[in-house]
Amino acid sequence: MRLLSRSVLLLTLPVCFFASADGVAAKKSLMAKLQNIHHFSANFSQQVFDNDNKIIQQGSGTIVVSKPNKVHWQTLEPEESLIVSDGTTLWLYDPFIEQASAFSLAKSVVNTPILLLTNESAEVWNKYQVNYQDSNSQNQDVYEIQSIDEQSQVKSLVVSFQGEKIESLLIHDATGQKSEITLTDNNYQAVPSSELFNFSVPEGVYLDDQR
């Protein structure tokens, strides 16, 4: 979890400006796509790059998302870790160091891109700027999301859709690192089990409760 999950969790660095007409249209287009997604599951592969664009970490695992604000993100390689959002609390569990951390969900959305994509609140989205990005692929739509929150810890989140399905995420953080996450074997039909979004601290595991 130490490198991969931190990259997944962080979202955006502040950019203070007024939304252009193109930005307003881009946000409406992105919101329309997200409104059609109620839940999905997928496998993911992830590569993390440093400032010199060299790969410093690779990983893979599974992700399950359900609206509103429910996520089960399990990294299987190179080290197992788990991120669970139950709709109220965001849980991070690292079995290698036997530690679980708990965060208030309301305070976590700004730094958690997957949670942002499961949230349709106008109040939340008013804190973000959305712009179109060029794509060389047919039937692909690419959106860049930036926060106006000065406390955000990542520069931008780029979401790529192939048709109506999320194909990949690209996260740029404030240190210059970037994380490329590719989704495969997407399933938008099967309703996820509610048990996936429950987390109980295992016996003997230290709880860092920051709620």
Short mmCIF file of all heavy atoms in Angstrom, two decimals, residues 23-60:
data_model
loop_
_atom_site.label_atom_id
_atom_site.label_comp_id
_atom_site.label_asym_id
_atom_site.label_seq_id
_atom_site.Cartn_x
_atom_site.Cartn_y
_atom_site.Cartn_z
N GLY A 23 -14.95 24.62 -20.38
CA GLY A 23 -14.87 23.89 -19.12
C GLY A 23 -16.24 23.51 -18.59
O GLY A 23 -16.44 22.41 -18.07
N VAL A 24 -17.19 24.42 -18.70
CA VAL A 24 -18.57 24.14 -18.27
C VAL A 24 -19.15 23.00 -19.09
O VAL A 24 -19.78 22.08 -18.56
CB VAL A 24 -19.44 25.40 -18.39
CG1 VAL A 24 -20.91 25.05 -18.13
CG2 VAL A 24 -18.97 26.47 -17.42
N ALA A 25 -18.93 23.02 -20.39
CA ALA A 25 -19.43 21.97 -21.27
C ALA A 25 -18.77 20.63 -20.95
O ALA A 25 -19.43 19.59 -20.96
CB ALA A 25 -19.19 22.34 -22.74
N ALA A 26 -17.46 20.68 -20.66
CA ALA A 26 -16.74 19.45 -20.33
C ALA A 26 -17.28 18.84 -19.04
O ALA A 26 -17.46 17.62 -18.95
CB ALA A 26 -15.24 19.74 -20.20
N LYS A 27 -17.54 19.68 -18.04
CA LYS A 27 -18.07 19.17 -16.78
C LYS A 27 -19.45 18.56 -16.98
O LYS A 27 -19.75 17.49 -16.46
CB LYS A 27 -18.14 20.28 -15.73
CG LYS A 27 -18.65 19.79 -14.38
CD LYS A 27 -18.70 20.89 -13.34
CE LYS A 27 -17.33 21.26 -12.82
NZ LYS A 27 -17.40 22.15 -11.64
N LYS A 28 -20.31 19.20 -17.76
CA LYS A 28 -21.65 18.66 -18.03
C LYS A 28 -21.55 17.32 -18.75
O LYS A 28 -22.29 16.38 -18.45
CB LYS A 28 -22.45 19.66 -18.86
CG LYS A 28 -22.91 20.88 -18.08
CD LYS A 28 -23.77 21.79 -18.96
CE LYS A 28 -24.27 22.99 -18.17
NZ LYS A 28 -25.09 23.90 -19.01
N SER A 29 -20.61 17.23 -19.70
CA SER A 29 -20.43 15.98 -20.44
C SER A 29 -19.95 14.86 -19.52
O SER A 29 -20.45 13.73 -19.58
CB SER A 29 -19.43 16.20 -21.57
OG SER A 29 -19.14 14.99 -22.24
N LEU A 30 -18.97 15.17 -18.66
CA LEU A 30 -18.47 14.17 -17.72
C LEU A 30 -19.55 13.74 -16.75
O LEU A 30 -19.72 12.54 -16.48
CB LEU A 30 -17.27 14.74 -16.96
CG LEU A 30 -16.70 13.87 -15.83
CD1 LEU A 30 -16.27 12.52 -16.35
CD2 LEU A 30 -15.55 14.59 -15.14
N MET A 31 -20.29 14.69 -16.21
CA MET A 31 -21.34 14.36 -15.26
C MET A 31 -22.40 13.48 -15.89
O MET A 31 -22.95 12.56 -15.26
CB MET A 31 -21.97 15.64 -14.71
CG MET A 31 -21.03 16.49 -13.86
SD MET A 31 -20.45 15.64 -12.38
CE MET A 31 -21.97 15.50 -11.46
N ALA A 32 -22.73 13.73 -17.15
CA ALA A 32 -23.72 12.91 -17.86
C ALA A 32 -23.24 11.47 -17.97
O ALA A 32 -24.03 10.52 -17.80
CB ALA A 32 -23.99 13.50 -19.24
N LYS A 33 -21.96 11.28 -18.27
CA LYS A 33 -21.42 9.92 -18.35
C LYS A 33 -21.46 9.23 -16.98
O LYS A 33 -21.83 8.06 -16.88
CB LYS A 33 -19.99 9.95 -18.89
CG LYS A 33 -19.90 10.18 -20.40
CD LYS A 33 -18.46 10.07 -20.85
CE LYS A 33 -18.36 10.19 -22.37
NZ LYS A 33 -18.95 9.01 -23.06
N LEU A 34 -21.06 9.97 -15.95
CA LEU A 34 -21.02 9.37 -14.61
C LEU A 34 -22.41 9.04 -14.09
O LEU A 34 -22.59 8.08 -13.33
CB LEU A 34 -20.30 10.32 -13.64
CG LEU A 34 -18.81 10.55 -13.92
CD1 LEU A 34 -18.23 11.57 -12.94
CD2 LEU A 34 -18.03 9.24 -13.83
N GLN A 35 -23.40 9.83 -14.47
CA GLN A 35 -24.77 9.56 -14.02
C GLN A 35 -25.30 8.23 -14.55
O GLN A 35 -26.19 7.63 -13.96
CB GLN A 35 -25.69 10.70 -14.46
CG GLN A 35 -25.52 11.96 -13.61
CD GLN A 35 -26.30 13.14 -14.15
OE1 GLN A 35 -26.99 13.04 -15.18
NE2 GLN A 35 -26.19 14.28 -13.48
N ASN A 36 -24.73 7.76 -15.65
CA ASN A 36 -25.16 6.49 -16.23
C ASN A 36 -24.46 5.29 -15.61
O ASN A 36 -24.77 4.14 -15.93
CB ASN A 36 -24.92 6.49 -17.75
CG ASN A 36 -25.85 7.44 -18.48
OD1 ASN A 36 -26.98 7.63 -18.07
ND2 ASN A 36 -25.35 8.04 -19.55
N ILE A 37 -23.48 5.56 -14.74
CA ILE A 37 -22.74 4.48 -14.08
C ILE A 37 -23.23 4.36 -12.64
O ILE A 37 -23.02 5.25 -11.84
CB ILE A 37 -21.22 4.75 -14.11
CG1 ILE A 37 -20.72 4.83 -15.55
CG2 ILE A 37 -20.49 3.66 -13.34
CD1 ILE A 37 -19.25 5.20 -15.66
N HIS A 38 -23.87 3.25 -12.34
CA HIS A 38 -24.38 3.03 -10.98
C HIS A 38 -23.43 2.15 -10.16
O HIS A 38 -23.35 2.28 -8.94
CB HIS A 38 -25.76 2.41 -11.04
CG HIS A 38 -26.74 3.23 -11.82
ND1 HIS A 38 -27.23 4.44 -11.36
CD2 HIS A 38 -27.30 3.04 -13.05
CE1 HIS A 38 -28.06 4.95 -12.25
NE2 HIS A 38 -28.12 4.12 -13.28
N HIS A 39 -22.75 1.27 -10.84
CA HIS A 39 -21.77 0.39 -10.19
C HIS A 39 -20.93 -0.27 -11.27
O HIS A 39 -21.34 -0.36 -12.44
CB HIS A 39 -22.46 -0.68 -9.33
CG HIS A 39 -23.61 -1.35 -10.02
ND1 HIS A 39 -23.45 -2.22 -11.08
CD2 HIS A 39 -24.95 -1.26 -9.82
CE1 HIS A 39 -24.64 -2.65 -11.49
NE2 HIS A 39 -25.56 -2.08 -10.74
N PHE A 40 -19.75 -0.72 -10.90
CA PHE A 40 -18.92 -1.49 -11.83
C PHE A 40 -17.81 -2.19 -11.06
O PHE A 40 -17.47 -1.81 -9.93
CB PHE A 40 -18.34 -0.63 -12.95
CG PHE A 40 -17.21 0.27 -12.56
CD1 PHE A 40 -15.89 -0.17 -12.61
CD2 PHE A 40 -17.45 1.58 -12.15
CE1 PHE A 40 -14.84 0.67 -12.25
CE2 PHE A 40 -16.41 2.42 -11.79
CZ PHE A 40 -15.10 1.96 -11.84
N SER A 41 -17.26 -3.21 -11.69
CA SER A 41 -16.08 -3.88 -11.16
C SER A 41 -15.09 -4.05 -12.30
O SER A 41 -15.46 -4.06 -13.47
CB SER A 41 -16.45 -5.24 -10.55
OG SER A 41 -17.02 -6.09 -11.55
N ALA A 42 -13.82 -4.18 -11.95
CA ALA A 42 -12.77 -4.33 -12.97
C ALA A 42 -11.49 -4.81 -12.32
O ALA A 42 -11.31 -4.70 -11.10
CB ALA A 42 -12.52 -3.00 -13.68
N ASN A 43 -10.61 -5.35 -13.13
CA ASN A 43 -9.23 -5.57 -12.73
C ASN A 43 -8.44 -4.31 -13.08
O ASN A 43 -8.80 -3.59 -14.02
CB ASN A 43 -8.63 -6.77 -13.45
CG ASN A 43 -9.32 -8.07 -13.08
OD1 ASN A 43 -9.75 -8.25 -11.95
ND2 ASN A 43 -9.43 -8.97 -14.05
N PHE A 44 -7.39 -4.03 -12.35
CA PHE A 44 -6.58 -2.88 -12.70
C PHE A 44 -5.10 -3.25 -12.69
O PHE A 44 -4.65 -4.14 -11.97
CB PHE A 44 -6.82 -1.69 -11.76
CG PHE A 44 -6.23 -1.83 -10.39
CD1 PHE A 44 -4.90 -1.49 -10.15
CD2 PHE A 44 -6.99 -2.29 -9.32
CE1 PHE A 44 -4.34 -1.62 -8.88
CE2 PHE A 44 -6.45 -2.41 -8.05
CZ PHE A 44 -5.11 -2.07 -7.83
N SER A 45 -4.37 -2.54 -13.54
CA SER A 45 -2.90 -2.58 -13.50
C SER A 45 -2.44 -1.15 -13.32
O SER A 45 -3.06 -0.21 -13.83
CB SER A 45 -2.32 -3.19 -14.78
OG SER A 45 -2.73 -2.44 -15.92
N GLN A 46 -1.35 -0.95 -12.60
CA GLN A 46 -0.90 0.39 -12.24
C GLN A 46 0.60 0.51 -12.40
O GLN A 46 1.36 -0.39 -12.04
CB GLN A 46 -1.30 0.70 -10.80
CG GLN A 46 -0.93 2.10 -10.33
CD GLN A 46 -1.43 2.38 -8.93
OE1 GLN A 46 -1.75 1.46 -8.19
NE2 GLN A 46 -1.49 3.64 -8.56
N GLN A 47 1.02 1.64 -12.96
CA GLN A 47 2.42 1.98 -13.05
C GLN A 47 2.62 3.37 -12.45
O GLN A 47 1.86 4.29 -12.75
CB GLN A 47 2.91 1.98 -14.50
CG GLN A 47 2.92 0.60 -15.15
CD GLN A 47 3.48 0.64 -16.55
OE1 GLN A 47 3.14 1.52 -17.34
NE2 GLN A 47 4.36 -0.30 -16.87
N VAL A 48 3.65 3.50 -11.61
CA VAL A 48 3.97 4.79 -11.00
C VAL A 48 5.30 5.26 -11.56
O VAL A 48 6.28 4.49 -11.57
CB VAL A 48 4.04 4.68 -9.46
CG1 VAL A 48 4.36 6.03 -8.84
CG2 VAL A 48 2.72 4.14 -8.91
N PHE A 49 5.35 6.51 -12.03
CA PHE A 49 6.54 7.08 -12.65
C PHE A 49 7.07 8.24 -11.81
O PHE A 49 6.30 9.00 -11.22
CB PHE A 49 6.22 7.61 -14.05
CG PHE A 49 5.72 6.56 -15.01
CD1 PHE A 49 4.39 6.15 -15.00
CD2 PHE A 49 6.58 5.99 -15.94
CE1 PHE A 49 3.92 5.19 -15.89
CE2 PHE A 49 6.13 5.03 -16.83
CZ PHE A 49 4.80 4.62 -16.81
N ASP A 50 8.40 8.41 -11.81
CA ASP A 50 9.00 9.52 -11.09
C ASP A 50 9.09 10.75 -11.99
O ASP A 50 8.57 10.76 -13.11
CB ASP A 50 10.37 9.14 -10.52
CG ASP A 50 11.41 8.84 -11.61
OD1 ASP A 50 11.16 9.16 -12.80
OD2 ASP A 50 12.49 8.32 -11.27
N ASN A 51 9.79 11.78 -11.52
CA ASN A 51 9.93 13.02 -12.28
C ASN A 51 10.61 12.83 -13.62
O ASN A 51 10.39 13.62 -14.55
CB ASN A 51 10.72 14.06 -11.46
CG ASN A 51 9.90 14.64 -10.33
OD1 ASN A 51 8.69 14.76 -10.44
ND2 ASN A 51 10.56 14.98 -9.25
N ASP A 52 11.45 11.81 -13.73
CA ASP A 52 12.18 11.55 -14.97
C ASP A 52 11.45 10.56 -15.86
O ASP A 52 12.03 10.02 -16.82
CB ASP A 52 13.58 11.03 -14.65
CG ASP A 52 14.41 12.05 -13.89
OD1 ASP A 52 14.32 13.25 -14.23
OD2 ASP A 52 15.13 11.65 -12.95
N ASN A 53 10.21 10.28 -15.51
CA ASN A 53 9.36 9.37 -16.27
C ASN A 53 9.88 7.93 -16.24
O ASN A 53 9.64 7.15 -17.16
CB ASN A 53 9.20 9.84 -17.72
CG ASN A 53 7.88 9.39 -18.32
OD1 ASN A 53 6.85 9.33 -17.64
ND2 ASN A 53 7.88 9.05 -19.60
N LYS A 54 10.58 7.58 -15.16
CA LYS A 54 11.04 6.22 -14.98
C LYS A 54 10.06 5.48 -14.06
O LYS A 54 9.59 6.03 -13.07
CB LYS A 54 12.44 6.20 -14.36
CG LYS A 54 13.50 6.80 -15.26
CD LYS A 54 14.87 6.76 -14.57
CE LYS A 54 15.94 7.37 -15.46
NZ LYS A 54 17.27 7.37 -14.79
N ILE A 55 9.79 4.24 -14.41
CA ILE A 55 8.87 3.43 -13.60
C ILE A 55 9.52 3.11 -12.26
O ILE A 55 10.63 2.56 -12.21
CB ILE A 55 8.48 2.14 -14.32
CG1 ILE A 55 7.70 2.44 -15.60
CG2 ILE A 55 7.65 1.24 -13.39
CD1 ILE A 55 7.35 1.21 -16.40
N ILE A 56 8.84 3.47 -11.16
CA ILE A 56 9.38 3.18 -9.83
C ILE A 56 8.53 2.16 -9.08
O ILE A 56 8.93 1.67 -8.03
CB ILE A 56 9.50 4.47 -8.99
CG1 ILE A 56 8.15 5.20 -8.88
CG2 ILE A 56 10.54 5.38 -9.58
CD1 ILE A 56 8.19 6.41 -7.97
N GLN A 57 7.36 1.83 -9.63
CA GLN A 57 6.51 0.83 -8.99
C GLN A 57 5.47 0.35 -9.98
O GLN A 57 5.00 1.12 -10.83
CB GLN A 57 5.82 1.42 -7.75
CG GLN A 57 4.95 0.45 -6.98
CD GLN A 57 5.75 -0.65 -6.30
OE1 GLN A 57 6.18 -1.60 -6.96
NE2 GLN A 57 5.97 -0.53 -5.00
N GLN A 58 5.12 -0.92 -9.88
CA GLN A 58 4.04 -1.49 -10.66
C GLN A 58 3.16 -2.33 -9.75
O GLN A 58 3.64 -2.87 -8.75
CB GLN A 58 4.58 -2.36 -11.81
CG GLN A 58 5.44 -1.61 -12.80
CD GLN A 58 5.87 -2.48 -13.97
OE1 GLN A 58 5.09 -2.77 -14.87
NE2 GLN A 58 7.13 -2.91 -13.93
N GLY A 59 1.91 -2.43 -10.08
CA GLY A 59 1.01 -3.19 -9.24
C GLY A 59 -0.23 -3.60 -9.99
O GLY A 59 -0.48 -3.16 -11.13
N SER A 60 -1.04 -4.43 -9.37
CA SER A 60 -2.28 -4.87 -9.98
C SER A 60 -3.24 -5.31 -8.88
O SER A 60 -2.85 -5.57 -7.74
CB SER A 60 -2.03 -6.02 -10.95
OG SER A 60 -1.48 -7.14 -10.27
#
